[in-house]
Amino acid sequence: MATPFSSTTSLRSVFQPKQIPPPKALLSIRDYNAGLNCVKCGSTTTHLSSWKSASNYIRIRRHALMLPTQPFQSGNLSKYRRGVIRAATIEEIEAEKALIEKDVRARMEKTIDTVRSSFNSIRTGRANPAMLDKIEVEYYGSPVGLKSIAQISTPDASSLLIQPYDKSSLKSIEKAIVNSNLGMTPNNDGEVIRLTLPQLTSERRKELSKVVAKQAEEGKVAVRNIRRDALKAYDKLEKEKKLSEDNVKDLSSDLQKLTDDYMKKIDVIYKQKEKELLKV
C-alpha cells in the first residue's frame, strides 16, 4: 500500500531526482606558483608524464581542476601557462626512430664494405689490384695509400704492374711491399715495379682461409655491436616515455631481422672468398 503524503512532505523532494555530487577532481592547484598536485596521491607535476605516455600536448582543462574563480590578471598569466605540459609529438618520435634505423643501416653497410675490402686484400691464385688496397707508403714523411700515388694494373693473370706518378717514390713503394707480408718480391727497374704472384701451396691456402674466417667473425661482431647500440637508443626512448614497451618489442624484432640479414651477407662473401682460396 502506497505511503500517504504527509503535510510536511515537499512535492519537490518527491519528484526531483536525487542530485549526484560532481566527480572528484584528479588534479588541483594547491599553489598557483607551485604547479600541480594529485588529490589522491599528492604527487607533483614531475610525475604527471608517468601516468600516461602522450604523443602530443597534455592540456589541463578547467573542469578537471579547481581553478581560481577570480579573473586572470595580465601580469599573472605565467602562473596559468603551467597548465600546458610539453611532450614529444608523433612527428618527433617518428623522426627519432627513423634516425636510429638510418644510422643502423649505414653502419652495417659500412661493415660489409670493410669485410669485403679485407677479403680483397688477401691474394688468391689470380692477380687483383685490390690486393694492394691496404699498402701504405711513407711519402714525404706521411703514410699514404699506394693507390693515391701510383697506377696499378694487371698485365696478365699472375702479375701486377705498379707505375708511380712520382718516380722518386719507387724505393718507398718497394719497401712498403716487402714489409706488407704479401708473400711477393717486388722487381724495381727504375721506372715501374712488377709483382709476380707465386703459386699458393696447399698449406698457405689453409692459412689464408683461417685469416678470412677470422675477418668474417670480426665483421659479425661489429654488426652485433651496432644492434646493441640501437637497442640502447630504443630503451632510452622508452624511459623518456616516447615509446611504449610494445613499441620497443616490435622495433627490437625488426632490428633482429635486419641483423640476421647482414649476418647472411657476411656469410655469403666469406664462402665465396673461401672457395677462391681453396680452388687450385
Side-chain angles (χ1 to χ4, degrees):
M1 181 175 181
T3 304
F5 288 107
S6 171
S7 59
T8 59
T9 303
S10 172
L11 289 176
R12 179 180 295 273
S13 65
V14 174
F15 295 103
Q16 183 175 356
K18 186 177 179 180
Q19 293 185 355
I20 300 174
K24 190 174 181 180
L26 294 178
L27 302 174
S28 67
I29 298 182
R30 182 182 300 172
D31 184 346
Y32 303 149
N33 292 319
L36 299 175
N37 280 48
C38 175
V39 175
K40 187 175 181 180
C41 65
S43 61
T44 63
T45 51
T46 56
H47 303 293
L48 181 62
S49 62
S50 65
W51 296 349
K52 183 177 180 182
S53 176
S55 60
N56 211 320
Y57 290 95
I58 305 170
R59 193 171 297 277
I60 300 169
R61 304 181 185 279
R62 182 183 177 90
H63 67 265
L65 298 171
M66 296 184 220
L67 294 177
T69 56
Q70 48 188 310
F72 289 97
Q73 302 292 330
S74 60
N76 295 330
L77 288 178
S78 60
K79 299 176 182 179
Y80 306 104
R81 284 174 184 159
R82 297 192 179 197
V84 176
I85 301 173
R86 179 67 168 84
T89 63
I90 293 177
E91 290 77 10
E92 289 171 341
I93 295 172
E94 290 298 326
E96 288 193 62
K97 286 166 53 181
L99 187 63
I100 294 172
E101 292 169 4
K102 182 179 179 181
D103 179 66
V104 167
R105 287 185 178 275
R107 291 174 62 190
M108 287 187 178
E109 280 294 337
K110 188 174 180 180
T111 299
I112 294 295
D113 292 339
T114 301
V115 172
R116 187 177 284 111
S117 176
S118 297
F119 286 176
N120 288 338
S121 65
I122 296 178
R123 74 183 185 91
T124 55
R126 188 177 181 84
N128 185 351
M131 296 166 57
L132 305 178
D133 282 350
K134 294 190 177 295
I135 300 291
E136 288 193 342
V137 181
E138 193 75 20
Y139 188 63
Y140 289 104
S142 300
V144 297
L146 175 58
K147 284 189 172 183
S148 66
I149 62 172
Q151 181 179 355
I152 304 172
S153 58
T154 52
D156 52 62
S158 61
S159 64
L160 293 168
L161 184 66
I162 304 170
Q163 188 172 4
Y165 303 124
D166 180 4
K167 292 181 181 180
S168 65
S169 63
L170 278 169
K171 287 290 183 182
S172 297
I173 294 174
E174 183 179 4
K175 181 179 179 181
I177 293 172
V178 171
N179 295 334
S180 66
N181 196 28
L182 282 176
M184 293 184 287
T185 303
N187 181 12
N188 182 0
D189 65 2
E191 295 288 336
V192 296
I193 293 177
R194 289 181 173 83
L195 296 173
T196 301
L197 276 68
Q199 290 293 325
L200 289 175
T201 63
S202 176
E203 191 66 27
R204 181 58 177 167
R205 291 177 188 274
K206 291 179 181 179
E207 290 177 2
L208 292 177
S209 180
K210 291 179 181 179
V211 173
V212 170
K214 182 181 178 182
Q215 291 176 343
E217 184 56 34
E218 289 173 351
K220 290 183 177 182
V221 170
V223 170
R224 293 190 195 102
N225 289 339
I226 295 168
R227 173 183 172 274
R228 179 201 61 198
D229 293 343
L231 289 175
K232 286 182 178 180
Y234 289 145
D235 288 340
K236 182 174 180 290
L237 291 179
E238 183 183 4
K239 290 178 181 178
E240 294 173 352
K241 304 300 178 183
K242 294 179 180 179
L243 290 178
S244 67
E245 184 178 352
D246 290 339
N247 292 149
V248 173
K249 286 182 179 179
D250 292 340
L251 290 170
S252 299
S253 177
D254 293 340
L255 180 61
Q256 184 60 54
K257 292 177 183 178
L258 184 65
T259 302
D260 293 340
D261 288 342
Y262 277 91
M263 291 290 193
K264 291 177 182 178
K265 288 182 180 181
I266 292 176
D267 284 335
V268 169
I269 58 178
Y270 163 64
K271 290 177 181 178
Q272 182 180 356
K273 185 66 179 182
E274 186 181 38
K275 184 178 179 181
E276 291 177 5
L277 283 171
L278 299 179
K279 184 178 180 180
V280 180

